[in-house]
Amino acid sequence: MDKHFVWLDCDTGTDDAAAILCANGLPELEIVGISAVAGNVELEKTYRNALRLNRLMGTDYPVYQGAEKPWRKELETGYRYHGENGLGGVELPLPERYPEVTEKAWDALYRAAVRYEGALELIATGPLTNVATALVKYPDLKKYLARIVIMGGSAGAGNRTPAAEYNIYADPDAASAVFQAGIPLVMCGLDVTMKAYFMEEDLLAVKAGGTTVGRLFHDSLQAPLQTQHGTGVKLHDVVAVMYAARPDMFDGKMAGVRVETRGGCTNGKTVTDLYSDKKFPDKNVFVVLDIDHARFVREVSELLLSYRDLE
Ligand code: RIB
Ligand code: CA
């Protein structure tokens, strides 16, 4: 089995939490570090939520704080879907002790990338502010990152506006910098993540395991579930993690992709040339388009049911 050394950059909200739980459980992945970015909720909350998951998983992954706001725009949080605490109102304790880390996310990411000599992969499931800041501060970072797998964007419709998906919309300038960086990039956009749904019975089956992980998974996703008109809750961020570990569960195509950063109603749109006669000069992104849904539900459920309560 190929082992992937990964860094998770998250705006830990409900599906980011599920993604971290899956990443920790996947034997194909070894988490090197976790960084928090403002997005679904404010930075302080996304940071503490990542720490809370360390306690829940019984791990002590280093967790770093990154950007409190997007490069140019004001922060637009997602309380409606993630609750004010980012975990859908589910309360988890912080670790009893954790280091007061002052090193910023982008500095820690660069240090890890150099240490892993080009083997480190970045999985980003929130706005790309931290990633882009790292690329600007350390222009040679592109030599040390094997690839970037993001949850973000869409070749079709948006979910924050009719045109744009939230992670890109939240910081389109940062996203554009990442898409143009020349690092191998995999885009797990709404095209595939809208197909990565769990129905209430699937959530209940995980909760039936009787663990705190199962309760967090089910209970934290109730608000987004209720907004999906019976089509199930979409585990957007889990797709990026599962792709990084088990890409044969998915299908996609290389395409030219650009990010609109100055549009009015199109600001934050990922413009792809997948379906147009006119093509961009380069195919810079692997756009994930399809998923083996039954396998996704089965294997994500297995990963979450493998946890046992530690306290
Ligand atoms: O559009 C879905 C994305 O926005 C996910 O990453 C979710 O956590 C929110 O950040
Ligand atoms: Ca997210």
Side-chain angles (χ1 to χ4, degrees), residues 157-166 168-169 190 265-270:
N159 65 354
R160 185 66 177 220
T161 72
E165 177 278 326
Y166 172 75
I168 309 301
Y169 172 84
L190 298 177
C265 64
T266 58
N267 204 26
K269 178 165 186 55
T270 46

Side-chain angles (χ1 to χ4, degrees), residues 10-13 15-16 40 82 125-127 151 166-167 237:
C10 312
D11 60 335
T12 306
D15 56 332
D16 303 75
N40 290 324
H82 300 271
T125 61
M151 189 283 135
Y166 172 75
N167 285 337
D237 295 338

Side-chain angles (χ1 to χ4, degrees), residues 171-244:
D171 196 341
D173 303 276
S176 184
V178 173
F179 275 69
Q180 299 297 317
I183 300 171
L185 181 61
V186 176
M187 177 175 119
C188 301
L190 298 177
D191 319 283
V192 64
T193 68
M194 291 300 283
K195 301 172 186 174
Y197 59 86
F198 265 58
M199 303 304 287
E200 170 65 354
E201 57 263 30
D202 301 320
L203 299 175
L204 285 169
V206 175
K207 184 172 187 176
T211 64
T212 306
V213 164
R215 177 171 60 83
L216 168 69
F217 181 63
H218 172 274
D219 295 0
S220 68
L221 291 166
Q222 290 304 299
L225 177 71
Q226 301 314 320
T227 68
Q228 297 297 304
H229 314 295
T231 61
V233 62
K234 287 36 175 211
L235 297 188
H236 302 286
D237 295 338
V238 175
V239 170
V241 161
M242 295 306 286
Y243 179 89

